[in-house]
Amino acid sequence: MQFLLFGTGDYYQRYKMWFNRSDIVALLDNSRLKQHTVLDGIDIMSPEEGVKLSYDAVVILSFYVRAMKEQLVSLGVLEQKIYHFYDLPYLLQVKERRAVTWYGGGQQIFHGKAEGGRVLLLSQELTLGGPPIALFHAARVLKKNGHDVVYASMIDGPLRKMLVENGIPVVVDNNLQICFMREITWLHGFSLIICNTINFHNFLTERSGGTPIIWWLHDAPFFYDGIRKEHLAKIAGDHLQVVSVGPIPKEAMHRFLPSLPIGELLYGVADQEGAMRQVLAGRKMRLVTIGFFEDIKGQDVLLEAISLLPDGWKRQIELFLVGHDATLFAEQLKAAYTMPDCVRYTGSLDRKQVHKILQQATLLICPSRQDSMPTVAAEAMMHGVPCLVSDAVGTAAYIRHGEDGLVFPSGDVQALRDQIAWCIGHRAQVEAMGHKARELYLREFSMETFERNFMHLVDEVQKGR
């Protein structure tokens, strides 16, 4: 087959290994900076130019599949020729498998007696993002409770070092991206397998043996846009327990499989010594939002809300926008909202720097249009920082509005502006709200709560209940 690959970013880098160079007609990208350049010896074109070439299929290498598919259809591409990287196990006939790499003595797990049982945790990546870190904490809890644990991932990343330093063996197997469970031979010998995120839905359609499986869903609805219902419908319910990080992944899955039983498992965030925020008298209110700069995160909603505040109120606040901002979306925001006296862009920060900012924050704002359960909200509450979140954020289901946090209608600029204005005029109430937010963290997101709930789930699944 002859392919057009739509997207030249992170997911192109992840999946390009499965395509023969001779089968790629061209790469497509909407960025004018990338168009008419060459990547890996392949021409990058605009979608308008690329679809005029001769090809058999267009593969979307992005999670923004809905908008990109609509764009392709508007350019005359037949819908049956449009695929997503989720479709690769069915679209490609890959004969050559990738080598499996073991770190931290992982292969030794299969030898000798395992008193607590051998548990495999499968992640879509080894980044320091929310789902891989949540699974990392799960691995530590399992090890603490006497289980032999292996952590495996579709791709390598910085989390591998943390895992090995904690005595947790790691497997990096690129084949997990396109293979079904029955095709991965090294999986045998585990008493329990835990799969993280919707990325493993194809993997689970063809299983082998009766190994109990926990499928832990973390994903916001847009991650489901590339899924084909007929593929999900193949997943057998035998020996499978599906759990969700709050209501949003559950609701997203139920759009496809409304009768699938789905339980709840919130992640845990480790407490820190001296975590409570530092209240500095006479200082401006520090508002913080943290996240990759993209439409789904809603930084534009927040900046528009701030722009509507009277100048006198703007002088009472400082807004820190934390996150990767080398994006076209970020460039457009910086050009549209010039408020140098109260708005600061920090770029990407490491975890230590993020916690330092949170310790000095007055309010965390999460204006996302979709967000299943942002880890940073739980981290803020751990520091005693109340959260102002949109009702499209999973954390909103646990916040008691006006008591331990605030909630506004997603995308409603005026409502967000009014809530920020209320906070500026009621600083004492916001400070008191922070103590209640800390209580919410301890109740729902502490490691003690997570360990109790997670180990109960593991015990129930292994007993076959």
Side-chain angles (χ1 to χ4, degrees):
M1 296 182 70
Q2 295 291 289
F3 297 103
L4 294 174
L5 304 185
F6 193 178
T8 60
D10 180 41
Y11 280 87
Y12 166 76
Q13 296 298 333
R14 294 184 187 207
Y15 285 93
K16 68 181 182 180
M17 71 181 78
W18 303 112
F19 295 90
N20 293 321
R21 167 64 186 84
S22 59
D23 294 337
I24 303 173
V25 178
L27 305 177
L28 310 182
D29 203 289
N30 282 316
S31 169
R32 292 183 180 180
L33 295 177
K34 294 183 178 181
Q35 292 166 9
H36 308 119
T37 63
V38 175
L39 178 62
D40 296 329
I42 309 167
D43 291 333
I44 302 178
M45 300 182 174
S46 69
E48 291 79 4
E49 294 173 305
V51 299
K52 295 176 183 178
L53 303 174
S54 177
Y55 61 90
D56 298 304
V58 184
V59 181
I60 296 173
L61 300 178
S62 167
F63 270 118
Y64 292 98
V65 58
R66 181 180 297 181
M68 295 167 80
K69 186 174 182 180
E70 289 174 356
Q71 181 183 3
L72 291 169
V73 171
S74 73
L75 294 173
V77 179
L78 298 175
E79 196 165 340
Q80 58 266 34
K81 283 191 169 187
I82 303 173
Y83 296 87
H84 186 244
F85 62 78
Y86 282 155
D87 298 316
L88 294 184
Y90 304 94
L91 182 64
L92 300 180
Q93 300 295 321
V94 179
K95 296 179 181 179
E96 184 178 346
R97 299 298 187 208
R98 296 282 161 170
V100 181
T101 309
W102 298 78
Y103 300 92
Q107 288 173 302
Q108 304 307 313
I109 272 291
F110 296 102
H111 303 288
K113 188 176 180 181
E115 296 294 339
R118 300 182 178 96
V119 181
L120 174 66
L121 300 102
L122 293 173
S123 178
Q124 83 281 16
E125 58 194 15
L126 288 174
T127 67
L128 301 180
I133 288 292
L135 200 66
F136 165 65
H137 289 314
R140 294 180 66 190
V141 167
L142 286 165
K143 185 177 180 183
K144 174 185 172 184
N145 283 271
H147 293 269
D148 287 332
V149 180
V150 173
Y151 193 115
S153 175
M154 296 180 177
I155 60 173
D156 204 353
L159 182 59
R160 168 166 58 85
K161 181 180 178 182
M162 288 174 56
L163 286 157
V164 173
E165 287 175 348
N166 279 267
I168 298 169
V170 177
V171 181
V172 176
D173 187 354
N174 300 140
N175 302 295
L176 292 168
Q177 291 182 324
I178 65 161
C179 287
F180 304 106
M181 179 178 173
R182 62 172 175 77
E183 297 175 309
I184 307 293
T185 56
W186 60 265
L187 292 173
H188 304 297
F190 290 98
S191 58
L192 175 66
I193 296 175
I194 302 172
C195 295
N196 220 28
T197 76
I198 191 63
N199 295 62
F200 283 94
H201 72 280
N202 284 321
F203 172 86
L204 292 171
T205 59
E206 297 185 21
R207 308 205 299 270
S208 57
T211 305
I213 293 174
I214 295 172
W215 190 13
W216 197 9
L217 301 176
H218 297 254
D219 316 276
F222 77 94
F223 286 98
Y224 290 74
D225 286 343
I227 288 176
R228 298 182 189 270
K229 186 174 181 179
E230 61 269 25
H231 294 168
L232 273 182
K234 295 178 182 178
I235 298 175
D238 298 343
H239 310 293
L240 176 68
Q241 174 65 59
V242 184
V243 289
S244 170
V245 178
I248 289 182
K250 178 178 179 179
E251 292 167 3
M253 178 60 81
H254 276 164
R255 293 202 327 259
F256 294 88
L257 301 175
S259 62
L260 179 69
I262 301 178
E264 178 180 274
L265 180 64
L266 300 181
Y267 54 69
V269 168
D271 205 353
Q272 294 192 358
E273 186 177 349
M276 283 299 288
R277 62 177 297 268
Q278 303 164 5
V279 181
L280 301 178
R283 199 193 65 185
K284 290 183 177 183
M285 289 188 69
R286 179 172 293 186
L287 315 181
V288 177
T289 189
I290 302 175
F292 189 91
F293 275 76
E294 55 186 342
D295 177 78
I296 209 76
K297 292 295 185 181
Q299 288 99 340
D300 57 324
V301 178
L302 174 56
L303 285 167
E304 179 65 16
I306 294 292
S307 74
L308 296 178
L309 293 171
D311 289 342
W313 292 6
K314 290 176 188 172
R315 287 192 287 269
Q316 297 181 49
I317 64 172
E318 51 185 2
L319 172 63
F320 281 68
L321 293 108
V322 180
H324 178 73
D325 57 0
T327 67
L328 177 61
F329 184 69
E331 289 178 17
Q332 292 170 340
L333 293 184
K334 290 175 183 179
Y337 299 99
T338 53
M339 297 176 282
D341 292 337
C342 67
V343 175
R344 303 184 187 183
Y345 296 86
T346 72
S348 298
L349 300 178
D350 62 31
R351 301 313 302 165
K352 188 176 293 185
Q353 292 170 316
V354 167
H355 283 293
K356 184 176 180 180
I357 279 189
L358 288 175
Q359 270 203 308
Q360 298 177 354
T362 310
L363 185 71
L364 178 87
I365 303 177
C366 186
S368 299
R369 292 179 169 90
Q370 290 183 20
D371 213 329
S372 57
M373 193 70 67
T375 308
V376 69
E379 290 175 336
M381 292 187 286
M382 181 263 290
H383 285 291
V385 178
C387 298
L388 168 53
V389 305
S390 85
D391 59 7
V393 174
T395 316
Y398 304 88
I399 288 176
R400 293 168 293 187
H401 179 75
E403 185 173 341
D404 48 24
L406 297 163
V407 180
F408 75 98
S410 177
D412 191 331
V413 171
Q414 188 61 46
L416 178 54
R417 178 261 181 214
D418 292 345
Q419 299 246 7
I420 294 171
W422 182 89
C423 291
I424 294 172
H426 297 81
R427 290 192 65 164
Q429 289 94 320
V430 174
E431 296 291 351
M433 201 180 289
H435 293 280
K436 293 290 186 180
R438 169 76 180 176
E439 292 176 8
L440 172 56
Y441 156 75
L442 292 171
R443 185 170 64 249
E444 300 288 353
F445 298 102
S446 68
M447 284 305 300
E448 292 75 17
T449 299
F450 170 70
E451 180 172 352
R452 182 174 62 252
N453 294 336
F454 177 55
M455 289 311 303
H456 175 74
L457 172 66
V458 168
D459 291 342
E460 292 293 294
V461 169
Q462 288 191 316
K463 291 174 183 175
R465 296 178 185 173

